[in-house]
Structures are given as C-alpha cells and as structure tokens.
Amino acid sequence: MPFYSASLIETVQSEIIRDNTGILECIKEGIGRVIGLGVPHSKRLLPLLSLIFPTVLHGVLHYIISSVIQKIVLLILKRKTYSSHLAESTSLVQSMLDAYFPELIANFAASLCSDVILYPLETVLHRLHIQGTRTIIDNTDLGYEVLPINTQYEGMRDCINTIRQEEGMLGFYKGFGAVIIQYTLHAAVLQITKIIYSTLLQNSV
C-alpha cells in the first residue's frame, strides 16, 4: 500500500516539477512513508492505518466484480459458439479463434465493467492517498497552470460527503475520459489482433 501511494504520486505529479524518478525512487518513497522518513509531508497526511480499509475494499470489490462478469461473459460466448457450431460447420480458422478470443473478450469486459462501476470509489481512494503529500498537479481545465493538493479529508466517509456536497455526483467521475480512451484503445488492439491472427491462420492453412 505505501508503494501504491508513492507510485500514484509520481503518476499525477506535474511534469514541471517532476524529477527523473524510477522504480527505485518509488520503493524508497514507500519505505520512507512506512518508517516516517524521506520527503517531508504536511500534517494533513493520513496515516497508513486509515487507508487500509478503503484500499482493501476497492481491491476486493474489483476482484469480485471482475470475476463474476468474466464468468458470465465467458459462459454466454461459449454457449453462442456451441450453438453456431451445431447450426453449421465451422472452418479451422474460426475454430482457432473460438478457442482463444472468448477469454480475451471476457477479460476485457470484466476489467471495463469493474473499473466503471468502482470509479467513484477509486476517485475517493486516490484523493485519500495523495492528501498531505505536497503533490502539485496540472490544471487540466485551463491547461497552462499547476494546482497544489490542499484537501483536508478526515477519512473515507468525510471524503465522500465533501465531494458530494462541493462538487456534486459528477465530482466522483472527474478524469473519467481517460478510462474511455484507455478502453477504446484496448478494444482497438483486440480487434486488430483478431484480424492479424485470422490472416496468419488463413495463410498457414
């Protein structure tokens, strides 16, 4: 969890003030946060014990949702494939595709649904981890200045109530466009991979 916090800070930190950091720097920052050494943080920094519940809750819910959706989608795709095989004879290429791609599609759907469903919780989790770390982020609304993180959440419940009161329900979905771009590219890669794989199989037959 402390290493997650350190890597998260490096992810959102503005390029203007970011140093050339690598994986070793994240490890050092994570260890420093555990033992209380390293870069000085403000008094608003939440203790690691108060971050355990929201972090574990997000991880467990993400696993449960993705596992359930993956099994449901895989079951539907396998039934559909079985029905099509009974209705008409399938080629070798189609048989090879049916053997591998349903699981890829099921993994994609499971990851997409779990990320979308849990995005509000992930927003809360990220704000709690970053609070008090003296992190400066880019102002994506204007695009030409930076903003310090000056939140004063007392915990998960206070963070949820504050976001709902000050920013409304849309406040939980700030940055959601990045998720849309991510999974759009993911879907495109899957489609391109399917086309290439089909072409290679047809040439090898």
Side-chain angles (χ1 to χ4, degrees), residues 2-3 6 25-35 48:
F3 303 114
E25 190 67 24
C26 289
I27 295 175
K28 185 178 76 173
E29 288 292 332
I31 296 175
R33 182 156 185 180
V34 173
I35 62 179
L48 290 176

Side-chain angles (χ1 to χ4, degrees), residues 106-153:
N107 289 333
F108 171 78
S111 181
L112 172 62
C113 292
S114 56
D115 282 350
V116 171
I117 293 172
L118 295 177
Y119 192 83
L121 178 58
E122 186 177 5
T123 299
V124 173
L125 180 64
H126 287 176
R127 294 195 183 192
L128 293 176
H129 274 278
I130 295 175
Q131 176 174 298
T133 57
R134 302 186 187 276
T135 302
I136 296 178
I137 63 174
D138 294 309
N139 187 343
T140 54
D141 293 330
L142 299 178
Y144 56 81
E145 63 181 20
V146 293
L147 297 173
I149 302 295
N150 293 322
T151 56
Q152 298 183 11
Y153 307 124

Side-chain angles (χ1 to χ4, degrees), residues 45-168:
L45 181 70
L46 293 172
L48 290 176
L49 287 177
S50 64
L51 297 175
I52 291 178
F53 176 73
T55 304
V56 172
L57 177 65
H58 179 270
V60 171
L61 288 178
H62 194 282
Y63 173 78
I64 293 174
I65 294 173
S66 60
S67 297
V68 170
I69 293 178
Q70 181 184 12
K71 290 180 180 179
I72 292 174
V73 173
L74 198 57
L75 181 62
I76 293 174
L77 291 176
K78 285 186 175 181
R79 284 186 176 180
K80 183 179 179 181
T81 301
Y82 180 74
S83 300
S84 63
H85 285 179
L86 291 178
E88 55 184 20
S89 59
T90 56
S91 63
L92 176 61
V93 174
Q94 188 62 41
S95 298
M96 293 294 290
L97 289 175
D98 291 339
Y100 296 105
F101 271 85
E103 190 160 346
L104 291 177
I105 296 175
N107 289 333
F108 171 78
S111 181
L112 172 62
C113 292
S114 56
D115 282 350
V116 171
I117 293 172
L118 295 177
Y119 192 83
L121 178 58
E122 186 177 5
T123 299
V124 173
L125 180 64
H126 287 176
R127 294 195 183 192
L128 293 176
H129 274 278
I130 295 175
Q131 176 174 298
T133 57
R134 302 186 187 276
T135 302
I136 296 178
I137 63 174
D138 294 309
N139 187 343
T140 54
D141 293 330
L142 299 178
Y144 56 81
E145 63 181 20
V146 293
L147 297 173
I149 302 295
N150 293 322
T151 56
Q152 298 183 11
Y153 307 124
E154 297 179 359
M156 179 179 175
R157 181 179 299 179
D158 180 54
C159 181
I160 294 173
N161 293 333
T162 303
I163 294 175
R164 187 172 55 219
Q165 292 172 4
E166 296 182 358
E167 305 174 40

Side-chain angles (χ1 to χ4, degrees), residues 11-50:
T11 302
V12 301
Q13 186 81 275
S14 175
E15 291 286 347
I16 297 177
I17 62 171
R18 182 184 297 178
D19 298 326
N20 293 326
T21 56
I23 186 172
L24 294 179
E25 190 67 24
C26 289
I27 295 175
K28 185 178 76 173
E29 288 292 332
I31 296 175
R33 182 156 185 180
V34 173
I35 62 179
L37 298 177
V39 178
H41 302 299
S42 72
K43 295 181 180 179
R44 293 176 287 106
L45 181 70
L46 293 172
L48 290 176
L49 287 177
S50 64

